[in-house]
Amino acid sequence: MCRFLAYSGDAIFLEDLVCKPRHSLVRQSLQASQAQSATNGDGFGIGWYGERDEPGIYREVMPAWSDENLLALCANVRSRLFMAHVRAATGGGVSRLNCHPFHFGRFLFIHNGQVGDFPRVRRAMEAQLPDAFYDLKRGATDSELLFLLLMARINAGATVEAALGRVLHDTADGMEQRGVTTPLRFSAALADGEQLWAVRWASDDKPPSLYLKPQPGGWAIASEPLGDDAEAWSPVDRGEVVRVHDGRIERRPLG
């Protein structure tokens, strides 16, 4: 399983969450405490919103703990909305194309989890993509495919919450129809440059961990608490979607 974080609020340096905390995401790439795999060294990525219309993105296949460029970038980039991800590959191989975040226009997406027995359902999932979105597929992961299915629905007019619910339920139904018993587990964050959504969901009772914490002027969301203040991080409930906008949060069940 992978680890990730996302932030929305007053502009801060990326290093304040990605690098500096005692249990920062960079440290989690070497030694996570709540993941099936303690080491998340199969690549990483960061995405941030600045003054341009579309977000900046930096992705690499080397481990986050060994990339000095990542440290330098995070020390010099300030953003009011950003996300970061360290990868433990469960499929698709180690490739920059398989590293998160994935993006489409203004949207950024990071994911931790799995589509159980993905090779058995991959073709059926791909068949649901309109041609224009299938042509955008670059990697070989279930994460990218889930993101493109989300983008296709949002592009067709669905709200983010409705698209999330429909894609997850359709995928779980397709897995069941093909006799797949390995669960669908989904912890993710999605942003459009103004709003940030996070969701924790699973077809069984073991969704990937996800936490929420108020920050000075904003909110942080992470797979694991980032420091010594674990009690200040509240878990996102199973089946819950969190929306952060203008310094406020909304929490509701995912339909």
Side-chain angles (χ1 to χ4, degrees):
M1 294 292 182
C2 309
R3 304 282 86 182
F4 70 72
L5 69 83
Y7 169 82
S8 176
D10 295 342
I12 63 173
F13 286 105
L14 273 59
E15 69 174 1
D16 292 344
L17 294 179
V18 177
C19 309
K20 281 187 172 181
R22 182 189 61 81
H23 194 53
S24 69
L25 196 68
V26 170
R27 184 172 295 273
Q28 290 177 41
S29 70
L30 185 61
Q31 190 171 8
S33 62
Q34 298 187 25
Q36 292 182 0
S37 173
T39 302
N40 296 270
D42 296 323
F44 68 87
I46 55 175
W48 68 94
Y49 294 91
E51 298 179 5
R52 303 282 187 176
D53 289 338
E54 296 191 6
I57 296 172
Y58 176 56
R59 302 188 298 180
E60 190 49 81
V61 294
M62 68 174 63
W65 71 76
S66 67
D67 191 321
E68 293 183 359
N69 291 326
L70 172 64
L71 301 180
L73 192 65
C74 289
N76 287 277
V77 172
R78 288 170 58 96
S79 176
R80 57 183 172 76
L81 178 53
F82 63 86
M83 56 181 64
H85 185 278
V86 292
R87 184 169 183 252
T90 57
V94 178
S95 163
R96 187 178 291 111
L97 296 176
N98 292 333
C99 291
H100 308 217
F102 301 104
H103 68 99
F104 172 73
R106 292 277 290 170
F107 283 93
L108 286 174
F109 174 80
I110 49 179
H111 169 238
N112 172 34
Q114 64 177 18
V115 174
D117 211 348
F118 180 51
R120 289 178 60 185
V121 297
R122 176 176 177 174
R123 184 171 178 179
M125 291 174 65
E126 290 176 341
Q128 298 176 40
L129 283 175
D131 289 346
F133 283 89
Y134 183 85
D135 291 344
L136 297 175
K137 193 166 73 72
R138 296 291 181 266
T141 64
D142 53 358
S143 300
E144 183 189 27
L145 185 49
L146 288 166
F147 171 60
L148 291 173
L149 288 167
L150 283 171
M151 289 297 97
R153 288 190 174 273
I154 292 169
N155 191 64
T159 66
V160 167
E161 290 88 347
L164 283 165
R166 191 70 269 149
V167 167
L168 290 173
H169 287 294
D170 284 354
T171 302
D173 289 347
M175 293 166 63
E176 184 178 0
Q177 291 167 11
R178 287 160 181 80
V180 174
T181 58
T182 308
L184 167 60
R185 292 176 177 160
F186 184 91
S187 177
L190 177 73
D192 67 356
E194 299 296 333
Q195 304 173 83
L196 171 66
W197 294 266
V199 62
R200 183 178 182 227
W201 193 93
S203 60
D204 64 0
D205 61 353
K206 297 179 180 178
S209 60
L210 192 61
Y211 294 87
L212 177 70
K213 179 179 179 289
Q215 300 285 111
W219 291 86
I221 297 166
S223 300
E224 300 183 13
L226 300 180
D228 297 318
D229 58 346
E231 68 284 348
W233 293 78
S234 60
V236 176
D237 293 336
R238 176 192 173 202
E240 184 178 38
V241 59
V242 177
R243 174 178 173 264
V244 185
H245 182 55
D246 287 338
R248 301 185 303 272
I249 66 164
E250 299 174 2
R251 304 178 70 164
R252 67 183 68 177
L254 183 66

